[in-house]
Amino acid sequence: RPITELLAPGALYMKNRGAGVPDDKWVRIDTTTLKDGNLLTGGVTDPMAAAELLRGAADVTYAGKSELAGVTVHHYRGVADLGRAARAASPQSRGALSAAAKGFSKDAVPFDAYLDEDGRLRKVRHRFTFSSDARGPEVSVVSTLLLYGFGLPVTVTLPDEDAIYTGEIRQG
């Protein structure tokens, strides 16, 4: 079954996620408790955290102009520092980025960012590096986020407390 995810500052809500969770219930995860601050764990990168990670950018170079989904964009490459990004982040993203700064094996996150003529982030690709466990080899994961539909009205309603599953989630 498809998994439905809703992202909110500090929280990830998932429906149809986890063995033993009733069909009409949501699972709520506090993203500040995740080792990566939900930059990868939820199977989707939190768009706000991904954008705010750029607050830790350094060594940025301009890579040229191109087109993305019919829009002219300016391509930048650089490296973001997770700790610096966490300190500069808005209060809504600070906890998630602070968790990520502690959880990843490298604070340096290479990125490619594409901004439109109005300075809006249209696409960002991060390359995260982490260890699967204390003794395991480092793993790199590339996360790409595309942003579009600016200015369109969106209505999102987060689940009520009584719709949140509070029991044990079975493994497998």
Side-chain angles (χ1 to χ4, degrees):
R1 294 183 302 174
I3 297 168
T4 302
E5 294 187 346
L6 296 175
L7 296 165
L12 168 64
Y13 296 88
M14 296 183 290
K15 194 165 193 174
N16 298 328
R17 181 69 174 197
V21 178
D23 289 343
D24 64 335
K25 296 290 184 178
W26 291 81
V27 174
R28 182 187 186 280
I29 297 172
D30 178 351
T31 57
T32 63
T33 65
L34 299 175
K35 285 179 115 177
D36 70 350
N38 197 40
L39 287 170
L40 299 171
T41 297
V44 62
T45 299
D46 177 346
M48 186 68 165
E52 294 232 47
L53 180 49
L54 295 175
R55 290 179 182 259
D59 302 321
V60 178
T61 59
Y62 183 64
K65 192 185 290 192
S66 63
E67 192 171 299
L68 176 66
V71 176
T72 300
V73 292
H74 298 274
H75 179 188
Y76 297 88
R77 284 194 176 110
V79 177
D81 179 274
L82 281 164
R84 184 174 36 231
R87 289 187 298 276
S90 68
Q92 295 86 354
S93 297
R94 192 169 297 132
L97 288 174
S98 293
K102 294 174 192 162
F104 283 104
S105 58
K106 292 186 179 177
D107 278 349
V109 180
F111 69 85
D112 287 273
Y114 301 80
L115 283 70
D116 67 16
E117 297 287 337
D118 293 322
R120 294 179 297 208
L121 183 63
R122 291 292 185 140
K123 177 180 176 180
V124 63
R125 179 180 298 122
H126 294 104
R127 285 172 293 288
F128 299 100
T129 303
F130 59 95
S131 292
S132 54
D133 63 39
R135 297 175 311 275
E138 286 190 337
V139 176
S140 290
V141 174
V142 176
S143 174
T144 303
L145 177 69
L146 295 170
L147 300 165
Y148 54 90
F150 295 96
L152 296 176
V154 176
T155 303
V156 177
T157 304
L158 296 178
D160 292 327
E161 284 299 316
D162 60 346
I164 306 297
Y165 181 69
T166 58
E168 291 267 329
I169 298 175
R170 292 191 313 262
Q171 298 296 320

